[in-house]
């Protein structure tokens, strides 16, 4: 029984790591696509769990436009995908926390 629990925990942690890595790579790709500066690539990789998106939103995106509907539809779809990946990271983190916190 204990062996099964450790196997399940290992699988959940691998899934969480995969989602975080994939979303970090996608967010870094978006930063490269819209801002060709190297600092945004570094921020995209180093700050996990959506912190990189919020930094970009505060520094660049909010100054560029007043409303989310003012950006082009493809760019809006890219940002929606990035926010969805951040949401998936948090959902998996809460699942892992719930697994550790449950008796």
């Amino acid at each position: 029984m204990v062996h099964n629990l450790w196997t399940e925990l290992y699988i959940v942690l691998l899934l969480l790591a995969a989602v975080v890595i994939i979303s970090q790579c996608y967010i870094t790709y978006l930063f490269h696509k819209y801002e060709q500066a190297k600092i945004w690539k570094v921020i995209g990789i180093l700050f996990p769990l959506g912190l990189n998106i919020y930094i970009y939103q505060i520094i660049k995106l909010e100054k560029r436009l007043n409303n989310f509907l003012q950006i082009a539809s493809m760019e809006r779809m890219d940002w929606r995908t990035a926010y969805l990946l951040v949401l998936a990271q948090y959902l998996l983190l809460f699942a892992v926390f719930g697994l550790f916190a449950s008796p």
Side-chain angles (χ1 to χ4, degrees):
M1 186 72 176
V2 174
H3 179 42
N4 247 352
L5 179 66
W6 286 109
T7 305
E8 290 174 8
L9 180 64
Y10 184 70
I11 290 171
V12 169
L13 290 177
L14 279 178
L15 180 64
L16 176 65
V19 168
V20 168
I21 289 170
I22 289 169
S23 60
Q24 290 300 106
C25 290
Y26 182 76
I27 291 167
T28 304
Y29 165 75
L30 282 181
F31 287 163
H32 173 70
K33 183 177 176 182
Y34 295 113
E35 304 286 334
Q36 277 75 33
K38 289 184 181 184
I39 187 70
W40 288 109
K41 294 175 196 172
V42 171
I43 288 173
I45 288 292
L46 289 183
F47 292 104
L49 305 173
L51 202 58
N52 47 17
I53 291 178
Y54 298 127
I55 290 170
Y56 181 79
Q57 183 176 349
I58 290 169
I59 293 175
K60 289 284 191 170
L61 202 58
E62 298 230 350
K63 291 179 183 177
R64 191 170 57 159
L65 44 101
N66 296 327
N67 191 345
F68 191 65
L69 297 175
Q70 290 178 344
I71 60 177
S73 64
M74 287 305 293
E75 185 177 355
R76 192 168 48 240
M77 189 184 318
D78 286 341
W79 289 114
R80 284 182 181 156
T81 304
Y83 283 118
L84 181 69
L85 288 171
V86 170
L87 181 63
Q89 287 180 18
Y90 279 111
L91 287 172
L92 282 171
L93 275 175
F94 288 137
V96 169
F97 178 74
L99 185 67
F100 282 127
S102 65

